[in-house]
Amino acid sequence: GLPRIIEQYSESIPGVQTSASDSGFISVSAFNQAVFGLLIVLFLIFDGVIKLLDIAPVAESFTRLGYPTSVATGIGVLELICLALYLVPRTSILGAILTTGFLGGAIATHLRVGYPLFSHTLFPVYVALLLWKGLFLRDGRLRSVVAPVPAAY
């Protein structure tokens, strides 16, 4: 069932140790890790792949944003390369950094055309937060750098 699928997903990531309990339930941390990781990856795959396809919504969006439709393929390939780096455990932090930079370009574009702040302009910030949250939950190296260390008394 779902607990076993999430456990298998978690086990495939180096440095993450989770297991299902005897009752078949898994830890909240493992569930969060799988949900955050899967949601952001699926969204970025979708977003990158549609840019590779010659479809009207992408062409219309690029025209509204002031970009020639000819750059859509290059942007889609760049997005998928950043995502591939994010998915490989050894390069996941580099992938997150590059994807965050990529999303920064989207923010600049939305600011330039005057899109609404919370629904359009800050949407890439929400994506980046989920990206880093997913990485934080699955990568012990990042947690060791970012997580607060308890004060010694």
Side-chain angles (χ1 to χ4, degrees), residues 38-48 79 103 123 127:
L38 188 61
L39 284 177
I40 197 64
V41 167
L42 289 176
F43 173 77
L44 291 173
I45 288 171
F46 169 77
D47 193 49
E79 184 173 7
L103 293 168
F123 184 77
V127 172

Side-chain angles (χ1 to χ4, degrees), residues 33-114:
Q33 170 190 330
V35 169
F36 280 112
L38 188 61
L39 284 177
I40 197 64
V41 167
L42 289 176
F43 173 77
L44 291 173
I45 288 171
F46 169 77
D47 193 49
V49 168
I50 64 167
K51 289 179 177 84
L52 301 179
L53 306 173
D54 189 20
I55 57 176
V58 172
E60 292 166 9
S61 176
F62 271 70
T63 301
R64 270 195 318 273
L65 294 171
Y67 290 115
T69 56
S70 61
V71 301
T73 300
I75 291 174
V77 168
L78 178 63
E79 184 173 7
L80 293 172
I81 289 171
C82 292
L83 178 61
L85 289 169
Y86 175 76
L87 291 173
V88 175
R90 189 176 188 101
T91 60
S92 59
I93 293 175
L94 174 63
I97 291 168
L98 292 175
T99 303
T100 303
F102 178 86
L103 293 168
I107 294 168
T109 297
H110 291 139
L111 281 170
R112 183 180 55 80
V113 297

Side-chain angles (χ1 to χ4, degrees), residues 12-33:
S12 69
I13 302 169
V16 174
Q17 296 176 350
T18 58
S19 62
S21 68
D22 292 336
S23 64
F25 292 102
I26 59 169
S27 71
V28 172
S29 176
F31 181 76
N32 284 339
Q33 170 190 330

